[in-house]
Amino acid sequence: MADGTGVLIIGDSSGGELASTTAELLAAGQKVASELGEELSVALLGDTLDAAAQQAIAHGAQKVYAVNHPLLAEYQIDLYLAALEALCKEISPQVVLIARTNEGRELGPRLAFRLGVGMAQDCLEVSVDASEKRLLANRPVYGGNAIAVVSCDQTPQIAAIRPKAYEPAEADPSRQGEVVSFPVDLNASQARTTVVDTVMEAAEGVKLEDARIVVSGGRGLGGPEPFAHLEELAKIVGGTVGASRAAVDSGWVPSSYQVGLTGKTITPDLYITVAISGASQHMAGCSGAKVIVAINKDAGANIFKEARYGVVGDWESVLPALTAAIRELTQA
Amino acid sequence: MAVKIGVLAKQVLDPEMPMAAFRIDGDTKKVVPPPNIPPVVNGFDENAVEAALKIKDGQEATVTVISTGTAFALDVMKKPLSMGADELVLLQDDAFQNTIDSFLTAQLLAAAIRKLGGFDLIICGRQASDWDNAQVPLGVAEILGMACISLGKKVDVQDGKVRVERIIPDGYEVVEAPLPALVTVSNELGQPRYPTLRGIMAATRKKPTIWSAADLGLDASDSAPRITLRDLFVPVSDQECEIIEGEDAADSGRLLALKLREDKII
């Protein structure tokens, strides 16, 4: 079993800029690399990587592997996998970190299988076992009801980190680092899937993931119409509307509204939940909110164990009063 | 020609069980199955069965459900048959205990798929509600060298191709791949159909194929675990909730607004 060297972060530079999820990985990676006494590097895939490479260095990467190829201009799973497989085989990293984004959640496991190793999916935290110098990954399991601490038995040890689990590493433009070009041999015929159309259906206004205030509705709303009340409150406070999976599954709002384990991970300053019971699968997507407010008629609902402020009552009475009062207070 | 569809399904503890019933044995690092709450077919896997049956609704197709485990509740695992699947293959052996290790599980399932002669299309749930690994289907695709599309909400087969509406953060994209391919699906696919009485009757008569480790002829040299479970615990929340109580519900709403303003949150 080769031990490998270095901590490699699989970066994201789609759109030419370093993604915030990569800056988050750099925060996680800096700690792991220093505890292991290893170098921290970032792999960037694309066709114009110069700006993102410098940003990665400013955020703490000691080395950037620039995998430049015209076929990597857009994300395509088979081509990205082929490039990453070649890179990992060449440089034999000890640890590989990837963000559990839509792309990372499929790239990570498939890369691990290709390399014949295990990987830890959707981790909240990674650390280093002081005695064995192995990576320890904390990951929620059973929908967030439990936390498993796992380690990978082979090398590289691969972990996918949940977006927003780490604060992004601070940028320091005076940092110096090396950009190494890594040529890959790719062929368009390696791509086995083709995107033939893209349909956007997100709500207008501030993106759910970026909103400072989010108002979410759940099963207890009983239908799609009440979401108009949530929209009204969100509009007054400059926020965005989200939903629990139950509301999405009932067809009341599109799936892009879903907050939770299999939906979006959000970290707003204020999260107002309306008629949401607060199952662990939902909390998995919002537990990073600074303040959670619960409006629910069931005093025993789990959401009251997670919320900072709670009102036990029917949303039909509470919400209009809350909205009217906030309007009065903020516009006075 | 009939489309040969395989569905991978897992038996899991009921994720809807009350939180109070969720218990971990610290010594074995395992979740203790609650008494009197039967296991279920993983929810996303029921979505996968539904996706397969929708294809079968529109064209000639066979649907084979494959699962691996140590102890199956047969009446639970027969649910896909009562929904309309044709065959059930259970890989059951005490040697299949390590269900946290996606690598080993994917190897088992890939071996069974090979033994069954392969499929045109394999459909799986995006992840299982116990370990939430979301890795086994991707691993099966890698081992078998199949094209793979994840997070589908609609799956169609036409002219030797699979066409998938794949969920992306702000909508969906339409992705195509030539068969054979593997697709994972999510709850956005819609409610799985209910078993009909006729389906239930037909399922009772069907006998699952049961294979052991020996039947699969697995190569023992590649059965090393990839993952070690170091610890398993229930996280504790130290959040204290301040319940805001006014004279009535509307008054509570007003007081809540004042509180948020006082705290400068709004």
Side-chain angles (χ1 to χ4, degrees):
Chain A
M1 190 169 70
D3 269 351
T5 52
V7 173
L8 177 70
I9 284 168
I10 297 174
D12 175 357
S13 58
S14 47
E17 301 278 316
L18 195 76
S20 61
T21 48
T22 305
E24 292 164 20
L25 291 179
L26 278 159
Q30 274 170 350
K31 204 164 148 276
V32 169
S34 80
E35 283 176 41
L36 289 172
E38 293 285 341
E39 187 182 58
L40 182 62
S41 59
V42 171
L44 293 176
L45 284 61
D47 66 345
T48 35
L49 301 172
D50 295 350
Q54 291 311 317
Q55 288 162 354
I57 289 166
H59 281 89
Q62 290 162 287
K63 189 187 277 180
V64 172
Y65 291 99
V67 190
N68 255 300
H69 200 290
L71 286 175
L72 299 173
E74 297 278 332
Y75 172 77
Q76 199 288 328
I77 176 81
D78 300 300
L79 297 169
Y80 268 54
L81 262 178
L84 289 171
E85 183 188 5
L87 178 66
C88 286
K89 284 184 169 161
E90 175 68 25
I91 67 170
S92 301
Q94 190 176 121
V95 169
V96 175
L97 301 179
I98 188 166
R100 195 236 53 195
T101 55
N102 234 37
E103 294 82 24
R105 69 179 3 139
E106 61 177 7
L107 267 176
R110 290 184 64 181
L111 178 64
F113 272 89
R114 250 176 222 203
L115 299 173
V117 302
M119 69 93 67
Q121 179 78 286
D122 197 16
C123 304
L124 293 179
E125 195 184 355
V126 282
S127 57
V128 172
D129 178 330
S131 59
E132 295 170 46
K133 296 280 180 191
R134 300 294 291 179
L135 190 73
L136 295 177
N138 284 30
R139 50 178 311 261
V141 294
Y142 285 88
N145 279 308
I147 301 286
V149 183
V150 300
S151 57
C152 302
D153 298 333
Q154 283 84 8
T155 305
Q157 306 165 70
I158 306 182
I161 314 267
R162 182 178 289 185
K164 298 188 175 172
Y166 282 82
E167 289 284 332
E170 298 272 344
D172 174 357
S174 71
R175 282 200 183 109
Q176 299 292 315
E178 187 189 358
V179 181
V180 181
S181 171
F182 184 81
V184 282
D185 194 13
L186 297 171
N187 188 315
S189 67
Q190 286 172 280
R192 291 197 283 180
T193 65
T194 316
V195 177
V196 294
D197 195 11
T198 302
V199 180
M200 305 307 270
E201 53 187 14
E204 283 175 31
V206 195
K207 282 179 77 145
L208 196 48
E209 301 92 314
D210 302 334
R212 204 182 64 79
I213 297 177
V214 174
V215 187
S216 270
R219 194 195 304 268
L221 290 177
E225 298 82 11
F227 273 90
H229 299 289
L230 274 63
E231 298 280 359
E232 188 189 350
L233 173 56
K235 205 168 168 188
I236 292 170
V237 295
T240 298
V241 173
S244 72
R245 183 178 148 182
V248 170
D249 279 353
S250 303
W252 301 340
V253 285
S255 62
S256 56
Y257 280 61
Q258 189 180 320
V259 172
L261 182 68
T262 56
K264 287 180 175 158
T265 306
I266 58 168
T267 52
D269 292 340
L270 174 62
Y271 187 52
I272 301 176
T273 69
V274 185
I276 285 179
S277 68
S280 59
Q281 288 85 351
H282 182 75
M283 301 319 294
C286 63
S287 54
K290 286 205 183 80
V291 174
I292 297 177
V293 169
I295 299 169
N296 199 298
K297 65 180 175 186
D298 173 13
N302 188 63
I303 190 74
F304 291 114
K305 294 199 182 83
E306 311 274 351
R308 175 72 189 86
Y309 298 114
V311 172
V312 180
D314 207 325
W315 69 267
E316 287 178 77
S317 311
V318 181
L319 191 59
L322 173 69
T323 307
I326 289 180
R327 182 183 281 125
E328 202 183 313
L329 288 168
T330 54
Q331 289 172 2
Chain B
M1 262 221 346
V3 186
K4 196 176 168 192
I5 306 173
V7 173
L8 307 184
K10 186 179 188 182
Q11 175 181 305
V12 294
L13 296 185
D14 189 345
E16 302 281 318
M17 72 169 127
M19 277 187 185
F22 187 84
R23 211 167 64 75
I24 288 170
D25 180 339
D27 293 334
T28 59
K29 290 179 279 192
K30 278 185 178 156
V31 175
V32 184
N36 310 323
I37 303 177
V40 296
V41 176
N42 177 44
F44 294 120
D45 300 345
E46 286 197 5
N47 293 128
V49 174
E50 176 62 31
L53 294 175
K54 277 206 178 97
I55 294 168
K56 200 186 163 185
D57 289 341
Q59 60 190 298
E60 217 180 307
T62 60
V63 178
T64 303
V65 177
I66 308 162
S67 187
T68 166
T70 51
F72 285 109
L74 250 196
D75 51 339
V76 171
M77 290 312 290
K78 275 193 166 184
K79 185 174 176 192
L81 290 178
S82 57
M83 288 165 71
D86 300 287
E87 268 188 85
L88 177 64
V89 179
L90 300 175
L91 318 179
Q92 183 169 267
D93 199 306
D94 287 342
F96 302 161
Q97 288 212 14
N98 191 346
T99 57
I100 187 179
D101 202 310
S102 303
F103 204 97
L104 301 183
T105 307
Q107 277 181 328
L108 278 179
L109 291 164
I113 291 162
R114 281 202 186 104
K115 194 175 158 80
L116 289 162
F119 292 94
D120 299 316
L121 178 66
I122 298 177
I123 310 180
C124 316
R126 59 181 287 169
Q127 67 199 64
S129 56
D130 46 9
W131 290 102
D132 287 314
N133 264 319
Q135 290 191 47
V136 169
L138 310 178
V140 169
E142 280 296 321
I143 294 169
L144 298 175
M146 301 171 85
C148 178
I149 300 171
S150 62
L151 305 181
K153 66 175 189 128
K154 190 163 185 285
V155 187
D156 292 310
V157 169
Q158 215 179 353
D159 306 324
K161 279 195 291 195
V162 63
R163 189 183 171 93
V164 178
E165 288 183 7
R166 175 179 191 269
I167 298 155
I168 54 174
D170 296 317
Y172 64 92
E173 55 188 17
V174 184
V175 189
E176 287 185 349
L179 300 178
L182 183 146
V183 176
T184 78
V185 296
S186 190
N187 53 288
E188 287 86 348
L189 193 113
Q191 276 290 337
R193 66 193 63 191
Y194 289 103
T196 59
L197 275 177
R198 241 172 88 182
I200 293 168
M201 293 296 289
T204 23
R205 287 192 298 271
K206 278 185 187 150
K207 276 213 159 59
T209 304
I210 298 181
W211 285 338
S212 67
D215 292 322
L216 293 174
L218 284 171
D219 182 358
S221 71
D222 205 20
S223 60
R226 263 55 174 187
I227 290 285
T228 299
L229 178 62
R230 305 277 193 114
D231 199 4
L232 183 67
F233 59 89
V234 174
V236 282
S237 161
D238 50 8
Q239 182 66 58
E240 293 237 356
C241 184
E242 183 180 336
I243 298 290
I244 295 173
E245 251 184 301
E247 284 169 17
D248 55 26
D251 192 37
S252 303
R254 277 188 292 276
L255 293 177
L256 173 60
L258 281 170
K259 183 61 104 177
L260 295 175
R261 187 66 172 174
E262 265 170 36
D263 286 3
K264 300 192 167 58
I265 303 169
I266 53 165

